[in-house]
Amino acid sequence: MTTPTASNLVWHEASVDRAAREKRRGHRSAIVWFTGLSGSGKSTLANAVNAALFERGLVSYVLDGDNIRHGLCRDLGFSDAAREENIRRIGEVAKLFLDAGTIVITAFVSPFRADRERARALVTEGDFYEVHCAATLAACEARDPKGLYAKARAGAIPHFTGISSPYEEPLIPELRVETGGQALAESVETVLRMLEERGVISAIPS
Amino acid sequence: MTTPTASNLVWHEASVDRAAREKRRGHRSAIVWFTGLSGSGKSTLANAVNAALFERGLVSYVLDGDNIRHGLCRDLGFSDAAREENIRRIGEVAKLFLDAGTIVITAFVSPFRADRERARALVTEGDFYEVHCAATLAACEARDPKGLYAKARAGAIPHFTGISSPYEEPLIPELRVETGGQALAESVETVLRMLEERGVISAIPS
């Protein structure tokens, strides 16, 4: 066994592009943009969809509060301007993952229509799938997994979406998922079927 | 052929982690951080290494001025503070790609030692490989592929690294590549051999 030398190395100067990566992977890349109130199940659904895609051998990744708010956006607060910049950066990072050949799933409240539209406008038609996690405020507040609604009602959290800051529902999302009233498995299936119907991934023969 | 239903879908609630992705891909993920003067060949080398990794069937991605400065960091200028924030964001994005199971290659001047050390400190020992593209200022200026040195000498570009802003060479980079005095193929080979020796990728049997 010898070390490869410059003369026998096989590589090209041409850069590898998205199309080459998609061809290698056997599926299109896409941005699946979840939006919905705090407690509507965005992150849970995103991670479950991600796991389902992984089991099918596909390449996906979740961007959510856990890996963004403590990292890239640690310098941002929750004012309207900071939320806009937060979503702008997430849109740009999602675009990088898209280019890298990934089905990137974002799970942020992203309450403002204009911010979501700006994220959509960064990429091409057919690259961006807005998924509304449509649990009602009452359902989310009844759940309140992190106790945030209670704090917001008590005035301890300013600019809290649904309480002291508006949530602007998507008008024509690619998909609306009733995360308040159905089992997680059913929501996962709904998202996967949408991705199949849109031609991002192939249907599993059964 | 029937549509899968919730009951026959196979998926777990457990989230997919970096270890699972690395296992699937057959190589470790890593950050390969190129640093060097403008014109030292960082981006050219990064794209060539990326292509070589792709040909080996590995998963890699390049972050460089083309996809960062016009996107995520479009709001930043070139003052010291803006450069620091630029490198901070790139470090955070590189960390996301690392977590996603990718060999991510960054190609930015990143002139300040402290900024590079902060990027390194975001991840674990063995995840970060600093590669100094060590072409001399004279060689870079003689090349001047974008005419930037000429403009900087004429005072038209403030804070230009090597002319009106310092470049702090890495003291103990994982690798120093003589990009000023050797063929691109040789530089690519040097980087690949380092990644093999560090156990990020496997050597190709020959």
Side-chain angles (χ1 to χ4, degrees), chain A residues 161-180:
Chain A
T161 300
I163 306 298
S164 47
S165 185
Y167 177 75
E168 299 174 354
E169 289 203 357
L171 299 178
I172 41 167
E174 274 72 12
L175 185 67
R176 180 184 158 100
V177 183
E178 302 301 332
T179 48

Side-chain angles (χ1 to χ4, degrees), chain A residues 2 4 24 54 61 99 189 206, chain B residues 2 4 24 54 61 99 189:
Chain A
T2 60
R24 165 81 56 86
F54 185 81
Y61 190 64
D99 183 52
E189 189 196 357
S206 57
Chain B
T2 60
R24 164 82 55 87
F54 185 81
Y61 190 64
D99 184 52
E189 188 195 356

Side-chain angles (χ1 to χ4, degrees), chain B residues 55-75:
Chain B
E55 289 202 7
R56 289 191 181 195
L58 312 184
V59 179
S60 58
Y61 190 64
V62 174
L63 300 175
D64 65 10
D66 286 346
N67 57 20
I68 291 291
R69 272 283 180 187
H70 303 293
L72 179 65
C73 295
R74 66 166 73 235
D75 56 321

Side-chain angles (χ1 to χ4, degrees), chain A residues 5 11 17 40 50 54 71 73 83-84 86 88 105 116 125 130 132 138 150-151 156 161 183 197 200 204:
Chain A
T5 62
W11 60 274
D17 63 7
S40 63
N50 188 52
F54 185 81
C73 296
R83 280 169 174 248
E84 179 180 331
N86 184 50
R88 186 192 73 81
I105 308 165
R116 296 193 302 265
E125 168 100 31
E130 190 174 9
H132 183 198
K151 284 185 188 167
T161 300
E197 287 169 359
V200 174
I204 294 179

Side-chain angles (χ1 to χ4, degrees), chain A residues 82-98:
Chain A
R83 280 169 174 248
E84 179 180 331
E85 172 64 6
N86 184 50
I87 297 304
R88 186 192 73 81
R89 291 187 196 169
I90 292 160
E92 293 286 1
V93 171
K95 185 180 179 182
L96 293 171
F97 274 94
L98 180 80

Side-chain angles (χ1 to χ4, degrees), chain B residues 92-129:
Chain B
E92 293 287 1
V93 172
K95 185 180 177 180
L96 293 170
F97 275 94
L98 180 80
D99 184 52
T102 307
I103 298 170
V104 56
I105 307 167
T106 68
F108 298 89
V109 177
S110 47
F112 302 125
R113 229 167 256 144
D115 294 346
R116 296 193 302 265
E117 289 309 307
R118 267 191 290 271
R120 180 190 292 271
L122 289 176
V123 297
T124 303
E125 167 102 31
D127 286 341
F128 190 95
Y129 300 90

Side-chain angles (χ1 to χ4, degrees), chain A:
Chain A
M1 200 171 135
T2 60
T3 307
T5 62
S7 57
N8 65 22
L9 261 183
V10 180
W11 60 274
H12 302 307
E13 289 194 36
S15 51
V16 179
D17 63 7
R18 175 178 165 189
R21 284 185 276 261
E22 288 180 332
K23 188 178 172 196
R24 165 81 56 86
R25 291 178 178 184
H27 61 88
R28 276 175 50 210
S29 54
I31 297 172
V32 184
W33 190 284
F34 287 10
T35 173
L37 294 167
S38 177
S40 63
K42 298 178 301 297
S43 206
T44 302
L45 181 53
N47 281 291
V49 168
N50 188 52
L53 294 173
F54 185 81
E55 289 202 6
R56 289 190 180 196
L58 311 184
V59 178
S60 59
Y61 190 64
V62 175
L63 300 175
D64 65 11
D66 286 343
N67 56 21
I68 291 290
R69 271 284 179 187
H70 302 292
L72 179 64
C73 296
R74 67 164 73 233
D75 54 321
L76 301 174
F78 290 87
S79 69
D80 285 5
R83 280 169 174 248
E84 179 180 331
E85 172 64 6
N86 184 50
I87 297 304
R88 186 192 73 81
R89 291 187 196 169
I90 292 160
E92 293 286 1
V93 171
K95 185 180 179 182
L96 293 171
F97 274 94
L98 180 80
D99 183 52
T102 307
I103 298 171
V104 56
I105 308 165
T106 68
F108 299 88
V109 176
S110 45
F112 302 125
R113 231 167 255 144
D115 294 345
R116 296 193 302 265
E117 289 310 308
R118 266 191 290 271
R120 181 191 290 270
L122 290 177
V123 297
T124 304
E125 168 100 31
D127 285 342
F128 190 95
Y129 300 90
E130 190 174 9
V131 177
H132 183 198
C133 294
T136 62
L137 177 60
C140 294
E141 194 166 359
R143 236 185 236 171
D144 203 6
K146 299 174 190 165
L148 296 174
Y149 284 97
K151 284 185 188 167
R153 288 285 183 200
I157 307 178
H159 307 291
F160 194 80
T161 300
I163 306 298
S164 47
S165 185
Y167 177 75
E168 299 174 354
E169 289 203 357
L171 299 178
I172 41 167
E174 274 72 12
L175 185 67
R176 180 184 158 100
V177 183
E178 302 301 332
T179 48
Q182 66 187 19
L184 179 57
E186 199 174 339
S187 297
V188 171
E189 189 196 357
T190 306
V191 175
L192 293 181
R193 196 181 301 139
M194 184 271 288
L195 293 176
E196 291 170 359
E197 287 169 359
R198 299 282 185 150
V200 174
I201 65 176
S202 303
I204 294 179
S206 57

